[in-house]
Amino acid sequence: MLQWCDLSQKDVRPAPDLTQHPSQRSHRFFDSKGPGGITTPRPSSSEETYAQGGQVLEIDKDHIIQYAHFGYVYCMLISEGIDDDEEVLLSGGGDGTIKIWPLDVGINGAIADPVSLENGDESILTLALDGTILYSGRLDGEINVWDLDTRQLIRRVKPDNVDILTLSIGHGFIFSGGANGLTRKFNSRYERITEWQAHEQLILASATATVNGKRLYATGGNDDCIDGKIDFEQWYEFVSVGQRLINLEPEDLLESLTQFVSYRTVSSMSKYAEECRRGASWLRSLFKRFGADTEMLNTEDNRNPVVFARFHGKSPTAKKGKTILFYGHYDVVAAEDKKGTWSTTPFELQGIDGYYYGRGVSDNKGPLLAAIYAVADLVTEQQLNSDVLFLIEGEEECGSTGFEKTIQKNKHIIGDVDWILLANSYWLDDEFPCLTYGLRGVVHVTVKVESERPDLHSGVDGSYLLDESLKDLIGLIATLTGPRGEVQIPDFYHAVLDTTTRENERYDAVSRTLLQHNPDLGDPQKLAQSFKARWSQPSLTVHHIKTSGPATSSIIPRSAEATLSMRLVPNQSAAQISASLQRCLHDSFDQLNSSNHLVVNVNRIAEPWLGDPYNQIFQTLDKAIVEAWGSRSHRRRSSTCTKPKSKSICGMTKVKASPATSSTLANGSDHSPMATTAVASDHVTSPQQQYFPSQISPGPLYIREGGSIPAIRFLEKEFNAPAAHLPCGQASDSAHLDNERLRLSNLDKSREIFRKVFRELPLK
């Protein structure tokens, strides 16, 4: 049973008639006559054990819910902000369920129909809440961890079989108290750190607090004792960052980044599923802190949720519907550091010489927070002229699994969009800011050839009569490419667009600009050609081959499997190319007349994207970059000769001709402060203007990229809105690699650029 009373009415309601109290009524069973016609005598008023004094409250019959649980109600707590910032009541019962009851303050705090969280029949004895993560202690000794945003059970922790009677959250830890008198302490990854015997019998209550600057954990038991622990050092595994009001301080962004990086949001490893959800919940809390309306959009198959947030524009004169959507992701690639190759601890942000190191700091947590804080700046200054939306997913590093269906399902919540902005890559080198207007698409495929025979020994069973799976696979893969890597799939190049004169000028301008600071990159024309090959031409790559059986030289494997990918360019269809590849492989396999079987699986696809660098969003970004970083036409030019260096091989001189890669672009720079130094007296024509006077932009380098972001083209088509891509980091950021980093000045400048774009673009 649940019952409630409106305390604001306690002094205006008539006093209850105590003669009508249930204890004064005649009960049909308990007051019925027994043998001999005798009834059980009632205690006299002097024997009653009621507390003296105080005020007696009467519960209206409409304020009683019978059978709220099918068993005792063991625990309750009140929380705000789980559902649209409304208060809710959480109750745990003997039926093994947790119920979430919305409270309606407009009708005397009435309790509405609940949402139930169910996991077995064991009684729920205690509840504790940390943001939107709910912990429940059960009769069987298990601690359940629930994500209230998604209503999903995300973890079970079972220290032993002793009933969990009390839970407390505080000082970055989880404390449990059991029926055996033991207190256990867990870290944020639910690993038990320590335990101690707090009481001889049951632990009935616990609490955490900070008193006079000291951190306290206390328990009370049925042994008439209170046990307390105060400020001992081994409690502290990490420093939690307190949240501030909307009054932003200069260090707030770095404090938030420290907290954000500490969440191990590795989407590819199931052991970090809870960390991913905690990171998503923290991100949602940050949006709420800055005044956004936010929801957690659930994905299928229990994947990481999408965090959606809407900041409302304040200007009544803002053009209707001029809405910017920012896309990003909170998941990161793994950083286990088992070989000790990191110079810092991957998930602890550390500043060294103007750079901040940590997994995800550059991809994508740093740029994401720069965008969020840019909006918060405008909200604080009351200069946010139109709505800014955020869609932040948690599966980008795994191919954005479930993202498209989630957005389509919740499109009515998201609403209309006019522009799409993302910041999920890096400059070409460490010196020149860039704007990305094109990305290649990708088709990831697994090709498997398998036999009905088991693994065999080549000496015992090998012969020309045997169809070997690995031979078949190698033969198949060999048919896909010809000389110089040309892809042999029929009609593969049919839809590839020729580069335009304008685009050729951009390629040449990019190569000549980069050569100013890195002459080792070689001939300008060859460098430009290498960019064309990586950005505007499709390709096919075989990543690895694996076989069944032990890794010995005498085995004929039963099966062989190859993983390959095709990078596609705008105007190519990922679905059509995928179908063409499968037909090509099956046709070639049929010609082998092999007794083996071919299986082709398309693991994931992403469409290519090509933006319009002359539209309003790119031009607004261009202007904001120039204002933040300075024009390239006013930057200090390198005095180094741009003639390609050469090297001697066997007495002969040969010009270095290998194509430029991301590593050579990052490592070959002279690292002079090109992106931070503007010299007003050096009125030198910009590289683009010097070589190609028709180029109008003296600002960032306009580039395309060879990588893929599955969401960008999907979002463009789904919302019928143009997208633009602002790289925030440098080529040497080592994203996805050891010692990932982001320069502090890049973080600050990105925030400045986003602030200008979010303020000015809606007014275009």
Side-chain angles (χ1 to χ4, degrees):
M1 176 191 296
L2 287 179
Q3 54 188 22
W4 66 94
C5 178
D6 184 357
L7 294 179
S8 66
Q9 302 296 313
K10 65 182 178 62
D11 295 324
V12 298
R13 294 183 48 159
D17 183 0
L18 296 182
T19 62
Q20 298 299 314
H21 191 275
S23 64
Q24 302 298 322
R25 301 173 193 164
S26 178
H27 195 280
R28 287 183 298 174
F29 175 76
F30 293 108
D31 293 323
S32 62
K33 294 181 180 181
I38 300 174
T39 61
T40 303
R42 289 175 175 270
S44 64
S45 59
S46 61
E47 295 174 335
E48 292 179 353
T49 57
Y50 300 123
Q52 301 298 313
Q55 185 175 358
V56 178
L57 302 176
E58 184 176 8
I59 307 298
D60 290 340
K61 63 180 181 179
D62 293 335
H63 291 186
I64 299 173
I65 297 180
Q66 301 283 355
Y67 308 111
H69 288 268
F70 293 102
Y72 293 127
V73 177
Y74 285 104
C75 49
M76 296 189 299
L77 56 84
I78 297 286
S79 176
E80 293 183 2
I82 295 176
D83 288 316
D84 301 323
D85 293 327
E86 294 180 354
E87 281 192 335
V88 296
L89 171 70
L90 299 159
S91 64
D95 53 0
T97 64
I98 300 169
K99 295 193 176 182
I100 306 172
W101 309 80
L103 304 182
D104 192 337
V105 295
I107 50 175
N108 301 322
I111 296 176
D113 292 338
V115 174
S116 295
L117 308 178
E118 301 183 11
N119 179 37
D121 299 326
E122 297 294 346
S123 299
I124 306 297
L125 303 179
T126 180
L127 296 172
L129 193 62
D130 182 17
T132 57
I133 301 298
L134 176 68
Y135 301 88
S136 64
R138 294 161 56 96
L139 187 66
D140 57 358
E142 185 173 271
I143 300 172
N144 287 172
V145 186
W146 295 87
D147 181 354
L148 293 182
D149 283 319
T150 61
R151 308 288 196 260
Q152 292 174 338
L153 178 67
I154 58 177
R155 186 65 176 261
R156 296 182 180 93
V157 182
K158 191 163 185 177
D160 54 33
N161 294 319
V162 177
D163 301 344
I164 304 295
L165 301 181
T166 177
L167 289 170
S168 292
I169 310 296
H171 318 312
F173 298 97
I174 306 159
F175 300 90
S176 71
N180 57 359
L182 281 177
T183 288
R184 291 187 170 89
K185 182 178 69 169
F186 303 86
N187 62 18
S188 60
R189 295 183 294 279
Y190 313 114
E191 300 166 337
R192 184 168 61 188
I193 299 174
T194 188
E195 63 180 43
W196 65 91
Q197 190 73 42
H199 297 271
E200 295 180 1
Q201 301 180 44
L202 307 181
I203 299 179
L204 300 178
S206 64
T208 60
T210 300
V211 180
N212 296 327
K214 295 184 178 296
R215 295 173 180 180
L216 171 70
Y217 171 71
T219 57
N222 68 342
D223 54 359
D224 298 329
C225 292
I226 294 177
D227 180 76
K229 302 294 181 184
I230 300 177
D231 248 4
F232 49 94
E233 287 296 322
Q234 57 265 35
W235 276 28
Y236 309 121
E237 190 180 57
F238 57 86
V239 177
S240 59
V241 180
Q243 294 195 351
R244 300 174 182 269
L245 298 174
I246 193 65
N247 297 323
L248 299 178
E249 300 293 338
E251 66 273 11
D252 282 0
L253 175 55
L254 289 178
E255 289 182 357
S256 293
L257 186 57
T258 300
Q259 184 83 346
F260 201 12
V261 168
S262 73
Y263 292 104
R264 303 176 184 233
T265 51
V266 181
S267 55
S268 63
M269 303 178 73
S270 59
K271 70 178 182 178
Y272 293 121
E274 295 83 9
E275 286 275 331
C276 289
R277 294 184 181 277
R278 288 171 65 88
S281 295
W282 177 88
L283 185 60
R284 189 182 179 206
S285 297
L286 185 68
F287 281 126
K288 288 183 179 180
R289 168 191 166 192
F290 292 146
D293 295 334
T294 176
E295 290 196 33
M296 204 78 85
L297 307 181
N298 295 334
T299 55
E300 295 182 351
D301 302 324
N302 200 28
R303 296 279 185 169
N304 293 325
V306 177
V307 181
F308 169 68
R310 177 186 293 272
F311 289 92
H312 293 279
K314 300 299 182 182
S315 173
T317 61
K319 297 180 181 179
K320 184 179 179 180
K322 295 295 183 178
T323 300
I324 303 172
L325 170 63
F326 185 92
Y327 163 82
H329 64 94
Y330 60 84
D331 64 319
V332 300
V333 298
E336 299 296 276
D337 198 26
K338 293 180 178 179
K339 298 181 179 179
T341 50
W342 277 74
S343 301
T344 63
T345 303
F347 293 97
E348 293 181 7
L349 192 71
Q350 184 171 345
I352 302 174
D353 296 332
Y355 287 85
Y356 280 88
Y357 289 79
R359 173 56 82 225
V361 66
S362 182
D363 182 16
N364 184 235
K365 293 181 176 180
L368 170 57
L369 288 184
I372 295 173
Y373 269 81
V375 178
D377 291 336
L378 296 176
V379 170
T380 304
E381 299 162 2
Q382 297 185 346
Q383 293 187 19
L384 187 63
N385 296 310
S386 189
D387 289 5
V388 177
L389 315 182
F390 285 80
L391 280 175
I392 314 301
E393 69 161 311
E395 295 284 346
E396 196 273 346
E397 300 294 1
C398 292
S400 295
T401 305
F403 178 76
E404 294 186 6
K405 291 183 179 179
T406 301
I407 299 308
Q408 291 169 339
K409 179 181 177 181
N410 294 281
K411 195 173 177 181
H412 64 286
I413 297 175
I414 301 167
D416 296 329
V417 172
D418 291 272
W419 295 285
I420 299 166
L421 179 60
L422 67 158
N424 197 19
S425 64
Y426 329 97
W427 300 349
L428 280 182
D429 66 354
D430 280 5
E431 319 303 336
F432 293 99
C434 300
L435 270 176
T436 299
Y437 67 94
L439 294 168
R440 292 197 293 187
V442 68
V443 177
H444 283 281
V445 178
T446 301
V447 183
K448 186 175 184 178
V449 178
E450 53 188 350
S451 169
E452 295 178 352
R453 296 180 295 272
D455 297 322
L456 301 174
H457 191 284
S458 61
V460 176
D461 299 296
S463 75
Y464 73 93
L465 298 174
L466 188 67
D467 294 328
E468 298 183 15
S469 59
L470 184 55
K471 283 182 181 178
D472 288 351
L473 179 65
I474 292 174
L476 279 180
I477 299 301
T479 65
L480 297 178
T481 56
R484 300 183 60 82
E486 182 179 354
V487 180
Q488 301 294 313
I489 300 171
D491 298 325
F492 184 78
Y493 296 97
H494 178 71
V496 177
L497 301 172
D498 293 331
T499 54
T500 64
T501 301
R502 260 183 176 176
E503 194 158 36
N504 283 328
E505 290 177 351
R506 288 194 202 102
Y507 283 123
D508 290 338
V510 167
S511 64
R512 292 183 183 275
T513 300
L514 296 181
L515 280 166
Q516 290 182 88
H517 275 253
N518 191 356
D520 286 346
L521 293 175
D523 179 74
Q525 293 182 350
K526 291 181 179 179
L527 181 59
Q529 188 61 39
S530 73
F531 289 136
K532 291 181 186 179
R534 289 161 47 192
W535 298 349
S536 62
Q537 291 296 315
S539 64
L540 185 149
T541 299
V542 180
H543 299 288
H544 57 79
I545 294 177
K546 65 179 181 179
T547 60
S548 61
T552 62
S553 59
S554 58
I555 292 296
I556 301 174
R558 181 190 65 82
S559 65
E561 180 179 297
T563 302
L564 57 90
S565 68
M566 296 173 292
R567 297 288 174 171
L568 311 180
V569 294
N571 210 44
Q572 285 185 302
S573 165
Q576 292 177 2
I577 294 297
S578 173
S580 296
L581 171 68
Q582 293 180 74
R583 285 194 301 269
C584 179
L585 288 170
H586 282 288
D587 290 345
S588 298
F589 188 75
D590 290 342
Q591 295 176 16
L592 295 177
N593 196 27
S594 173
S595 61
N596 295 324
H597 306 286
L598 172 66
V599 179
V600 181
N601 289 318
V602 178
N603 302 320
R604 68 176 189 263
I605 64 175
E607 295 289 349
W609 166 69
L610 185 63
D612 176 10
Y614 296 99
N615 67 15
Q616 288 180 334
I617 188 169
F618 274 101
Q619 294 309 303
T620 305
L621 281 164
D622 187 302
K623 178 184 175 184
I625 291 171
V626 171
E627 291 177 358
W629 286 109
S631 170
R632 283 191 288 116
S633 63
H634 294 112
R635 294 193 187 120
R636 193 184 305 278
R637 296 283 301 274
S638 170
S639 60
T640 308
C641 178
T642 58
K643 180 180 178 181
K645 291 185 177 181
S646 60
K647 63 179 182 178
S648 177
I649 304 177
C650 299
M652 300 179 63
T653 300
K654 181 178 180 180
V655 175
K656 198 169 163 184
S658 59
T661 65
S662 58
S663 61
T664 58
L665 290 170
N667 298 330
S669 172
D670 66 5
H671 299 285
S672 63
M674 187 71 167
T676 56
T677 303
V679 183
S681 61
D682 288 347
H683 294 287
V684 181
T685 305
S686 72
Q688 290 191 27
Q689 291 175 320
Q690 177 179 348
Y691 299 115
F692 306 102
S694 62
Q695 288 291 99
I696 61 173
S697 172
L701 295 174
Y702 281 78
I703 65 173
R704 291 167 64 169
E705 297 183 40
S708 307
I709 299 177
I712 184 169
R713 182 57 184 146
F714 161 75
L715 290 172
E716 269 198 338
K717 293 191 293 186
E718 193 67 26
F719 292 99
N720 192 28
H725 189 184
L726 173 67
C728 291
Q730 300 168 288
S732 62
D733 279 357
S734 298
H736 289 204
L737 304 175
D738 297 337
N739 299 308
E740 181 178 349
R741 69 180 190 175
L742 180 66
R743 188 169 60 173
L744 178 58
S745 59
N746 282 61
L747 182 67
D748 291 338
K749 294 292 187 182
S750 297
R751 178 179 179 177
E752 180 181 342
I753 292 166
F754 286 133
R755 185 166 57 242
K756 294 176 184 294
V757 172
F758 290 146
R759 182 180 61 240
E760 297 174 9
L761 181 59
L763 301 179
K764 298 292 184 180

